[in-house]
Amino acid sequence: GQQLNQSPQSMFIQEGEDVSMNCTSSSIFNTWLWYKQEPGEGPVLLIALYKAGELTSNGRLTAQFGITRKDSFLNISASIPSDVGIYFCAGHFSSGSRLTFGEGTQLTVNP
Amino acid sequence: DAGVIQSPRHEVTEMGQEVTLRCKPISGHDYLFWYRQTMMRGLELLIYFNNNVPIDDSGMPEDRFSAKMPNASFSTLKIQPSEPRDSAVYFCASSYGQGVGNEQFFGPGTRLTVL
């Protein structure tokens, strides 16, 4: 089946630093999504990418759909303490297929 | 809209007992998904429904698990009998459609502990 490899597994950074995390797959994905999960809550959609090469921003967050359609990255600029949480990449292998999730990146921001 | 609603938020039970988790999807969403999250296996899709009909239950771990959607605004996930290895957070999610452009919105989850 399709698998997503997400890295790094965890990050410990200082407030104000920029953050970068990525997701790769051995298969081509038609959609890349980035979710954030805070403690005790469900994942919340941050950014959705639908076209190879697409670069999309949402405030301090920027994500790109890799040109090969097998990878995506998420950048967070000028991190703040409320950025703490688990960030998941997810994707659709094809329209109508299940949503496949990466293993998640646990982000800790020290004030 | 209130978003996806799940109940209970926390459930602690003893091995062998029946557990029922409940979900109310976002109004107007035709798809409903049940996921399980554990440290070891991450987020796993258990089953999903389209217009109240189960479409793919291949993720349901075993016969002890069952899910129903009697109407468009309510679904249940039942575990009978429960076992300690069922301890996890169970999420319900819903969407307008399936696949590209129809993104899933998650509920807050039910944290299940089976002693």
Side-chain angles (χ1 to χ4, degrees):
Chain A
Q2 300 82 41
Q3 289 186 325
L4 295 180
N5 299 307
Q6 189 171 346
S7 65
Q9 285 188 327
S10 61
M11 302 182 73
F12 297 84
I13 62 170
Q14 292 297 126
E15 182 176 359
E17 291 184 1
D18 296 342
V19 173
S20 183
M21 58 192 79
N22 66 79
C23 227
T24 61
S25 170
S26 57
S27 302
I28 290 174
F29 277 75
N30 287 345
T31 309
W32 284 97
L33 308 170
W34 287 92
Y35 284 86
K36 178 187 178 187
Q37 185 179 18
E38 297 187 5
E41 300 296 331
V44 174
L45 183 64
L46 298 174
I47 292 179
L49 303 159
Y50 301 110
K51 291 171 56 177
E54 179 180 355
L55 183 71
T56 297
S57 293
N58 179 5
R60 294 178 295 105
L61 278 61
T62 302
Q64 184 159 32
F65 192 145
I67 197 71
T68 65
R69 297 167 65 191
K70 293 183 178 182
D71 64 323
S72 177
F73 72 74
L74 174 70
N75 288 343
I76 304 173
S77 63
S79 59
I80 58 178
S82 62
D83 290 334
V84 165
I86 304 175
Y87 291 80
F88 291 96
C89 63
H92 290 290
F93 175 60
S94 62
S95 180
S97 70
R98 292 165 162 233
L99 189 59
T100 301
F101 281 86
E103 305 98 330
T105 295
Q106 172 76 60
L107 177 64
T108 302
V109 180
N110 297 314
Chain B
D1 199 311
V4 176
I5 299 172
Q6 290 186 248
S7 64
R9 292 295 308 273
H10 303 272
E11 177 81 28
V12 180
T13 191
E14 293 187 344
M15 182 174 64
Q17 296 297 306
E18 176 181 304
V19 175
T20 299
L21 311 181
R22 297 173 176 80
C23 175
K24 177 178 171 26
I26 293 173
S27 178
H29 282 190
D30 293 332
Y31 283 80
L32 183 141
F33 307 82
W34 281 101
Y35 288 87
R36 178 172 66 176
Q37 185 177 41
T38 62
M39 289 292 293
M40 292 296 295
R41 301 174 69 91
L43 269 164
E44 303 174 275
L45 178 64
L46 300 177
I47 184 172
Y48 75 90
F49 295 81
N50 177 25
N51 291 324
N52 314 336
V53 176
I55 302 301
D56 183 352
D57 66 354
S58 59
M60 296 286 261
E62 44 195 279
D63 292 345
R64 298 184 296 106
F65 286 68
S66 63
K68 294 182 180 180
M69 192 166 185
N71 57 64
S73 59
F74 184 65
S75 176
T76 60
L77 177 67
K78 185 178 294 187
I79 308 173
Q80 181 185 20
S82 58
E83 297 182 4
R85 60 193 169 120
D86 300 331
S87 298
V89 182
Y90 291 81
F91 289 104
C92 176
S94 69
S95 66
Y96 279 114
Q98 166 72 323
V100 176
N102 294 289
E103 308 324 332
Q104 296 177 25
F105 293 85
F106 284 76
T110 295
R111 180 173 294 277
L112 173 65
T113 303
V114 183
L115 303 175

